[in-house]
Amino acid sequence: MKCRKCKKPAVLKMPRHNTAFCDVCFQDYLLKQVQKAISDGKMFLKEAPILVAVSGGKDSLALWDILIKLGYETVGLHLNLGIGAYSATSQQMVEKFAQTRNLRLITHGYQESYGLGVVEIAKASARPACSACGTMKRHHFNRIAIEEGFPVVATGHNLDDEAARLLGNLLKWQVPYLEKQSPVLSDDNGKWAKKVKPLYRLPEREMAAYAILNRIDYIVEECPMSNGAKAFTYKETLNRLEEASPGAKHQFYLGFLKQKEKSFPSPPPVTDADACLTCGQPCQSEQCGYCRLIERSTSLIVS
Ligand code: SF4
């Protein structure tokens, strides 16, 4: 098997493009895909530093690596969720990545802040762990970005993540979520940190190949709370579709983004009236999901 571009031996077959690439041409292709996502979505420019949310997994560490190669100024942000050995190893991976490249890393630990990990907080407030986890991540990404003066937070969500989320939203006809689903979530004229997903054009398989080719050390184990999570079922279903019809995930998600503007009215802009009265972050009622979650868990939280 030869590289389609330079005819050297290929390292990766890419059925969705009916092609194969050598190491150098694959990485060139991948970086161009990320730059295209950033430029098409007007995600950010080289003038301002970007906060990169890094979990310790392959996607977020690869994203950090790619943004540096593309010439962006970056700072990493790691949330230690307090899930036993999984969180300890995840943090070690992120710290190792930052130290070996001399990069600035901001860390925030739930055990240190609340005396509890995300699983205990979820239990105390009778919420599924992943739902509480998502609420807390959104809050802290936004809070830390604003406190530290970063206009943009970039996350490592890839094409598989976004296609699985879309499938879940469609199966339940979650129209408000469909309306909001996008690789770019507005900063509402600088009131909030803009959230962007520069890897949305790239499937998990290609991100894994990039991480391996660049010898990025990442946590291979999945979060123990992911067992039985619906997102994984949706991903498996989409993988079967992709196998039968290469390019299906790309057509599904990018086709959705194309149709979205025609099919859904623009979401209303966030205003001051949509700010949580307790913490000031965006929300649709008087108190945001994060503050409600923390209040319900108060009896167990030590500080
Ligand atoms: Fe959080 Fe659930 Fe993901 Fe674990 S699997 S990191 S608990 S969202």
Side-chain angles (χ1 to χ4, degrees):
M1 190 173 59
K2 292 203 167 146
C3 173
R4 188 190 66 185
K5 274 180 87 181
C6 71
K7 310 300 174 209
K8 285 185 183 155
V11 294
L12 190 72
K13 206 173 164 187
M14 296 168 67
R16 76 184 181 118
H17 295 305
N18 193 22
T19 193
F21 283 135
C22 70
D23 184 345
V24 173
C25 295
F26 168 66
Q27 296 205 43
D28 180 56
Y29 147 85
L30 195 128
L31 263 62
K32 281 182 179 150
Q33 289 295 313
V34 177
Q35 185 55 62
K36 179 172 170 50
I38 294 168
S39 305
D40 286 0
K42 297 184 175 62
M43 292 182 178
F44 45 80
L45 299 168
K46 290 198 170 141
E47 285 72 35
I50 310 305
L51 193 60
V52 187
V54 274
S55 65
K58 65 180 181 318
D59 299 297
S60 56
L61 288 178
L63 171 63
W64 202 1
D65 190 75
I66 292 164
L67 292 180
I68 294 163
K69 280 186 185 154
L70 289 173
Y72 291 96
E73 199 186 323
T74 58
V75 171
L77 167 62
H78 176 70
L79 299 180
N80 186 314
L81 310 178
I83 308 179
Y86 168 75
S87 289
T89 310
S90 300
Q91 184 160 344
Q92 278 166 18
M93 294 296 180
V94 176
E95 285 174 346
K96 187 176 159 195
F97 182 94
Q99 276 160 16
T100 51
R101 291 161 178 81
N102 202 22
L103 300 168
R104 184 179 165 212
L105 173 68
I106 300 168
T107 57
H108 176 79
Y110 290 0
Q111 283 289 353
E112 290 78 14
S113 298
Y114 310 109
L116 298 169
V118 68
V119 179
E120 291 79 32
I121 292 172
K123 220 175 189 172
S125 57
R127 286 266 300 274
C130 293
S131 155
C133 184
T135 300
M136 292 184 73
K137 277 183 190 166
R138 275 191 297 280
H139 173 87
H140 289 298
F141 288 166
N142 203 44
R143 177 186 66 76
I144 293 168
I146 287 167
E147 282 174 10
E148 298 276 340
F150 291 95
V152 180
V153 182
T155 61
H157 293 94
N158 60 36
L159 176 60
D160 292 42
D161 298 321
E162 292 307 293
R165 181 192 296 253
L166 175 58
L167 181 58
N169 286 339
L170 282 171
L171 287 173
K172 293 182 207 144
W173 282 110
Q174 304 264 33
V175 176
Y177 291 155
L178 287 166
E179 210 177 315
K180 279 191 219 154
Q181 187 172 353
S182 166
V184 184
L185 295 177
S186 157
D187 63 352
D188 194 30
N189 296 322
K191 277 187 237 166
W192 320 110
K194 189 199 256 187
K195 311 283 184 331
V196 298
K197 302 171 183 177
L199 303 183
Y200 79 89
R201 303 179 62 85
L202 294 158
E204 199 159 314
R205 180 175 174 270
E206 290 170 25
M207 292 315 301
Y210 179 87
I212 292 164
L213 290 170
N214 285 279
R215 296 186 170 80
I216 294 172
D217 218 358
Y218 62 87
I219 181 157
V220 178
E221 295 81 35
E222 297 288 354
C223 170
M225 304 317 292
S226 66
N227 276 341
K230 282 201 184 107
F232 285 82
T233 312
Y234 300 149
K235 279 187 181 179
E236 277 169 22
T237 307
L238 288 163
N239 282 341
R240 285 204 288 278
L241 277 173
E242 183 75 24
E243 221 177 295
S245 176
K249 285 179 208 170
H250 182 103
Q251 284 158 13
F252 180 51
Y253 183 59
L254 276 86
F256 161 74
L257 292 179
K258 266 194 197 155
Q259 292 299 322
K260 197 171 90 119
E261 283 180 19
K262 294 183 211 161
S263 309
F264 297 106
S266 302
V270 180
T271 65
D272 286 338
D274 298 314
C276 170
L277 295 178
T278 310
C279 73
Q281 287 212 17
C283 79
Q284 303 303 319
S285 55
E286 288 192 348
Q287 196 178 37
C288 71
Y290 167 79
C291 290
R292 285 200 302 275
L293 177 74
I294 295 305
E295 255 185 35
R296 275 191 226 131
S297 314
T298 300
S299 59
L300 285 176
I301 291 174
V302 293
S303 62

